[in-house]
Amino acid sequence: DTGVSQNPRHKITKRGQNVTFRCDPISEHNRLYWYRQTLGQGPEFLTYFQNEAQLEKSRLLSDRFSAERPKGSFSTLEIQRTEQGDSAMYLCASSERTENYGYTFGSGTRLTVV
Amino acid sequence: DAKTTQPNSMESNEEEPVHLPCNHSTISGTDYIHWYRQLPSQGPEYVIHGLTSNVNNRMASLAIAEDRKSSTLILHRATLRDAAVYYCILRGFSNSNSGYALNFGKGTSLLVTP
């Protein structure tokens, strides 16, 4: 297993366009998280999946954002009608279903909205 | 959520030990203390975690105060590759629906000089 994989690594889009990011977690991890990180700040939680069920959403996740995890495997994060304030690094992490393990993060997708 | 307090930045010489402090005076009895680090242009990386007892692994040691209101991450011999932002995070006990996502603060930026 090569860890958590995120694609694409970089995305430049025009304001108003829709974008979709993909995350492939470690195969035996049933928990998956999305975070957003802006320059100089720590990552901020967006949403959490346990298998295919989306169990938590942050207030940061406006109605322009939607995430899915069909069949409890890979996950996608879509942003509709992008705004310049959406420019950030979007990070995905996965973990086992116990407190006794850490999270494994991907390298992120850097989104630039112009 | 229980909060953590860390210095904004610290500096160390290469090959010397580094002690990174973290205060968490409002920690609850079921909160785990997690440490992650983030190298430039990468996602966060799990370092170590503990509940009550001191912990050691190949990357670092975690010293937890007897009252659990503070902890210290110890890098035994700093290398240039240890230059990163180090995050101290409290992670609560998760039930079947809550993933208790990690709440990152701003962390401590560690500079290692040759």
Side-chain angles (χ1 to χ4, degrees), chain A residues 4-39:
Chain A
V4 177
S5 176
Q6 291 190 248
N7 288 289
R9 289 297 309 273
H10 303 274
K11 179 71 177 179
I12 300 174
T13 191
K14 291 184 178 179
R15 190 174 51 186
Q17 297 294 304
N18 299 342
V19 294
T20 299
F21 311 138
R22 176 177 171 126
C23 171
D24 287 272
I26 292 174
S27 55
E28 55 267 31
H29 287 181
N30 63 358
R31 292 180 171 179
L32 185 147
Y33 304 80
W34 284 98
Y35 285 78
R36 181 179 72 183
Q37 185 173 26
T38 53
L39 203 60

Side-chain angles (χ1 to χ4, degrees), chain A residues 49-66:
Chain A
F49 288 86
Q50 186 168 298
N51 299 312
E52 67 276 8
Q54 188 175 17
L55 297 182
E56 277 187 274
K57 292 183 190 180
S58 159
R59 282 187 294 272
L60 295 174
L61 210 68
S62 76
D63 55 8
R64 296 184 298 106
F65 287 68
S66 63

Side-chain angles (χ1 to χ4, degrees), chain A residues 9 31 33 35 37 40-43 45 48 50 55-56 89 91 95-103 105-107, chain B residues 32 34 36 38 41-46 49 87 91-106:
Chain A
R9 289 297 309 273
R31 292 180 171 179
Y33 304 80
Y35 285 78
Q37 185 173 26
Q41 304 296 317
F45 168 72
Y48 153 67
Q50 186 168 298
L55 297 182
E56 277 187 274
M89 175 76 83
L91 294 159
S95 74
E96 303 217 20
R97 189 185 168 169
T98 170
E99 291 69 39
N100 212 27
Y101 292 92
Y103 291 24
F105 280 83
S107 297
Chain B
Y32 284 78
H34 281 241
Y36 284 75
Q38 188 171 23
S41 301
Q42 294 187 27
E45 174 187 27
Y46 167 79
H49 79 281
Y87 297 98
R91 184 184 178 194
F93 181 79
S94 56
N95 59 33
S96 60
N97 286 330
S98 171
Y100 276 82
L102 301 173
N103 291 313
F104 290 81
K106 289 193 175 182

Side-chain angles (χ1 to χ4, degrees), chain A residues 40-42, chain B residues 6-8 85-87 104-109:
Chain A
Q41 304 296 317
Chain B
Q6 298 178 255
N8 290 333
V85 178
Y86 286 79
Y87 297 98
F104 290 81
K106 289 193 175 182
T108 296
S109 179

